Amino acid sequence: MLPLPAARAIFNAGADRSFKGNGPSVQRLRRNLRTVVGPDLPEAGLDALVKAGLRSYARYWMEAFRLPSQSREDFLTDFHLFDADEFNAVLKEGNGAILALPHVGNWDAAAAWVTAQGWPLVTVAERLKPESVFERFVAYREKLGMEVLPLTGGQRPPLDVLAERATQGYAVALLADRDLSSRGIEVQFFGGRTRMPGGPAMLALRTGAPLYAADLWFEPSRTVGRIRRIELPEKSEGALDVRVKLTTQRLADAFALGIAEHPQDWHMLQKLWLDQSTRV
């Protein structure tokens, strides 16, 4: 309801206050960004990057809260995909596409752009507690035109439903840089060990739908993105579990390319690397 400049000022002030407070989430973001940029960036440079990262995260929430009041024309104007021709051509074939992405930029704006183009989109939502919070997130994303499947507790396993949608002309959008199950695929990521969900790789190998790593970042007046197609290993390269691991590593490598180009827009405030300290 606020004018955009006023909303931006309020959310920037909140981000700056979080930076000064240097709480546990801010400290985790600092460690994550240090891993991304390496040891050569001076502490003052890292401070500036962390502050920019918190402002970027606040911008995501500010824009997310405003999305339900926006029009289809706003969705099309406020997001730009550099590879839109390839994306549209793939979906026109009717076989669907799998979009795996890290927590970057404004993924809700990207999804709203997809649905505004007239393409069906399905995603998975973590079942948050309390249940009312989960239901509100689902209702919010459904209002933007998405089909939302619960990660747990649904009538059918989400992977089975996603596999169907991936062959029915849907864009299947999955956040894939953080494993929520503790059963993810171990990968190398910015020189360290972490786990990422194997779902996107499994879906692509199971259905034959093209798999893309999506990269999003903020420009002053819009969110922009690109997609990088991930080459799937042939059956001759190993058993299914081997090929899932190979594909997930290729996704991790593609994620790293985008995050390294605009680390301030990677909203990872949780512990990620297995060899990081378990302390705050």
Side-chain angles (χ1 to χ4, degrees):
M1 296 176 63
L2 286 170
L4 183 57
R8 284 177 173 165
I10 290 170
F11 276 76
N12 281 341
D16 293 348
R17 182 174 180 177
S18 294
F19 174 77
K20 292 178 181 178
N22 196 33
S25 295
V26 177
Q27 293 175 41
R28 286 192 291 267
L29 177 63
R30 176 182 294 275
R31 283 198 298 274
N32 290 340
L33 290 175
R34 171 58 79 188
T35 302
V36 169
V37 300
D40 295 336
L41 182 70
E43 282 301 310
L46 184 61
D47 284 344
L49 180 58
V50 172
K51 186 174 183 178
L54 291 169
R55 284 194 166 202
S56 174
Y57 190 41
R59 175 176 171 176
Y60 160 70
W61 283 109
M62 185 268 293
E63 293 185 358
F65 289 140
R66 296 172 71 91
L67 275 174
S69 65
Q70 293 182 305
S71 67
R72 175 179 179 274
E73 290 70 26
D74 292 327
F75 295 158
L76 295 174
T77 300
D78 293 345
F79 178 81
H80 173 74
L81 180 66
F82 284 106
D83 314 275
D85 289 344
E86 178 178 352
F87 176 76
N88 287 319
V90 166
L91 290 184
K92 283 179 181 177
E93 295 174 359
N95 295 324
I98 300 163
L99 304 170
L101 63 155
H103 289 72
V104 287
N106 187 339
W107 47 92
D108 288 320
W113 177 88
V114 172
T115 60
Q117 295 276 339
W119 301 116
L121 182 143
V122 61
T123 189
V124 174
E126 179 184 1
R127 190 175 286 278
L128 302 171
K129 294 181 179 180
E131 184 75 8
S132 60
V133 174
F134 169 74
E135 290 173 351
R136 291 184 69 178
F137 266 103
V138 170
Y140 157 72
R141 292 194 164 103
E142 287 179 340
K143 188 174 182 180
L144 299 178
M146 310 178 212
E147 178 184 1
V148 183
L149 306 175
L151 179 63
T152 57
Q155 294 182 349
R156 297 172 60 197
L159 195 65
D160 291 347
V161 180
L162 294 173
E164 289 180 3
R165 300 293 187 266
T167 60
Q168 295 171 339
Y170 277 68
V172 179
L174 300 171
L175 288 166
D177 57 342
R178 185 166 66 95
D179 176 46
L180 298 176
S181 69
S182 300
R183 299 186 302 274
I185 307 299
E186 185 171 318
V187 296
Q188 288 291 313
F189 192 54
F190 288 104
R193 297 163 46 246
T194 188
R195 291 191 182 96
M196 293 185 180
M202 179 66 76
L203 277 173
L205 293 166
R206 177 174 167 181
T207 66
L211 174 63
Y212 291 92
D215 180 27
L216 309 174
W217 66 97
F218 286 126
E219 289 185 346
S221 61
R222 63 181 183 177
T223 299
V224 293
R226 70 164 62 93
I227 52 176
R228 294 180 171 95
R229 187 157 182 169
I230 303 300
E231 182 181 356
L232 299 180
E234 301 290 340
K235 289 185 178 179
S236 60
E237 295 185 58
L240 179 60
D241 61 333
V242 174
R243 287 180 283 134
V244 168
K245 182 173 178 59
L246 283 171
T247 305
T248 305
Q249 181 62 63
R250 290 172 187 176
L251 272 176
D253 294 341
F255 291 163
L257 291 174
I259 292 169
E261 289 177 1
H262 35 80
Q264 73 280 0
D265 292 325
W266 185 41
H267 308 145
M268 184 52 65
L269 281 70
Q270 295 82 22
K271 179 179 181 292
L272 189 72
W273 281 275
L274 300 176
D275 42 7
Q276 273 184 342
S277 170
T278 56
R279 295 175 298 172
V280 171

